[in-house]
């Protein structure tokens, strides 16, 4: 089986089915996809889900299997329905290959609208030496059973819509005060993360994980949709089975924009993913 064919296979999980891509016959590097309504926040499709979908197309197009660094610019809000992903191989090397991809949809008049453009480098995580020299430490969080499910507050996470049903989030109570009207003002969000269907995390799903928690603006007392402008993710290691711990922080909200820095740790206390995104703060009602 070819590398591309292997990556086109659809797994048993909802995440795998909803991020599947279909190569177009006679059009190398072009894939058809269906953006699932199951990953929406308010009316827009979640940016991490989009990144994983485009990441799957790139893993089919490139000779290396795993995303190492993926940078995405979100150009317009995606909606559930058909989409086309066009990929291009930029460079192929011995240890890394680089490609770019564009996801487009079509408006009611049939005009093409670009939603997201991605530049990424892929490699083989299994081939990396096990050499870790780090000062990073896992986030200090209560045990899984002492954290709060997403529906533990008096109301569901505002605007989270369908995506909450596909995730198993357990929020650190210290960063969940916004759910009861008492945000800390620190701009922090921490949670245990699993996919609701029990699928273990892999490098591709980590592209979803970095953008799957409630936005840190909630902890700053601002409620509403906080759309991603740009998101860069580094995948550092293949995660071990079990729940992940995710920590996201914001230090600077200015001019209506903020950064979010995310770290993802696996069950062996290994840092498996990092990201930074620029997002727009919710607009006043």
């Amino acid at each position: 089986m070819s590398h591309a064919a292997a990556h086109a296979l659809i797994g048993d999980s909802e995440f795998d089915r909803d991020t599947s891509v279909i190569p177009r016959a006679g059009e190398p590097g072009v894939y058809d996809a269906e953006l699932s309504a199951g990953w929406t926040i308010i009316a827009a499709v979640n940016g991490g889900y989009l990144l994983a979908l485009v990441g799957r197309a790139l893993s089919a197009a490139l000779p290396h299997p795993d995303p190492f660094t993926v940078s995405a610019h979100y150009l317009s809000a995606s909606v559930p329905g058909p989409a086309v992903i066009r990929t291009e191989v930029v460079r192929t090397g011995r240890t890394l290959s680089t490609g770019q991809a564009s996801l487009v949809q079509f408006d009611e008049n049939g005009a093409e609208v670009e939603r997201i453009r991605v530049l990424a480098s892929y490699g083989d995580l299994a081939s990396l030496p096990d050499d870790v020299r780090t000062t990073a430490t896992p986030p200090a969080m209560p045990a899984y059973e002492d954290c709060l499910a997403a529906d533990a507050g008096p109301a569901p996470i505002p605007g989270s819509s369908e995506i909450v049903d596909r995730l198993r989030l357990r929020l650190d109570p210290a960063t969940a005060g916004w759910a009861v009207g008492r945000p800390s003002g620190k701009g922090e969000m921490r949670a245990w993360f699993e996919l609701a269907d029990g699928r273990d995390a892999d490098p591709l799903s980590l592209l979803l994980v970095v953008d799957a928690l409630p936005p840190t603006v909630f902890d700053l007392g601002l409620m509403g949709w906080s759309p991603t402008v740009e998101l860069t993710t580094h995948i550092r290691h293949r995660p071990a089975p079990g729940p992940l711990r995710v920590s996201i922080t914001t230090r600077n909200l200015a001019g209506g924009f903020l950064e979010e820095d995310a770290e993802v740790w696996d069950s062996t206390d290994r840092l498996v993913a990092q990201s930074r995104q620029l997002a727009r703060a919710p607009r006043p009602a």
Side-chain angles (χ1 to χ4, degrees), residues 55-251:
R56 191 179 295 280
L58 281 167
S59 71
L62 295 171
H64 291 94
D66 301 317
F68 274 33
T69 176
V70 183
S71 294
H73 283 263
Y74 294 81
L75 307 178
S76 57
S78 301
V79 295
V84 178
I85 303 170
R86 301 190 182 102
T87 67
E88 176 188 347
V89 178
V90 176
R91 179 186 179 275
T92 298
R94 185 175 60 85
T95 59
L96 287 175
S97 55
T98 299
Q100 60 184 3
S102 175
L103 183 148
V104 302
Q105 293 187 295
F106 299 89
D107 66 17
E108 61 275 8
N109 299 316
E112 184 176 292
V113 182
E114 188 172 11
R115 302 301 194 190
I116 176 175
R117 186 174 295 192
V118 173
L119 182 66
S121 290
Y122 277 56
D124 183 357
L125 289 168
S127 70
L128 297 181
D130 192 17
D131 178 19
V132 179
R133 310 177 199 188
T134 182
T135 59
T137 55
M141 288 173 52
Y144 183 95
E145 58 272 15
D146 295 325
C147 288
L148 304 173
D151 59 357
I157 294 173
S160 291
S161 305
E162 301 297 328
I163 193 172
V164 169
D165 294 334
R166 279 138 193 89
L167 308 178
R168 191 178 297 142
L169 294 179
R170 304 282 293 197
L171 301 172
D172 183 342
T175 67
W178 52 269
V180 291
R182 294 194 298 272
S184 77
K186 296 179 180 179
E188 299 176 344
M189 201 67 64
R190 292 185 295 272
W192 294 87
F193 176 98
E194 292 177 292
L195 289 169
D197 61 13
R199 179 198 191 275
D200 280 323
D202 66 0
L204 192 67
S205 69
L206 290 175
L207 299 176
L208 163 70
V209 176
V210 297
D211 193 43
L213 268 59
T216 54
V217 290
F218 287 4
D219 192 47
L220 295 174
L222 301 174
M223 306 304 289
W225 184 39
S226 180
T228 302
V229 177
E230 187 272 343
L231 170 61
T232 294
T233 303
H234 297 162
I235 306 301
R236 307 304 304 272
H237 197 267
R238 183 174 291 275
L244 302 169
R245 281 161 294 170
V246 186
S247 173
I248 305 179
T249 58
T250 290
R251 297 175 57 207

Side-chain angles (χ1 to χ4, degrees), residues 29-55:
V30 180
Y31 302 86
D32 287 299
E34 184 76 16
L35 305 190
S36 169
W39 303 89
T40 52
I41 296 179
I42 308 179
V45 180
N46 171 261
Y49 163 74
L50 290 173
L51 200 61
L53 183 68
V54 173

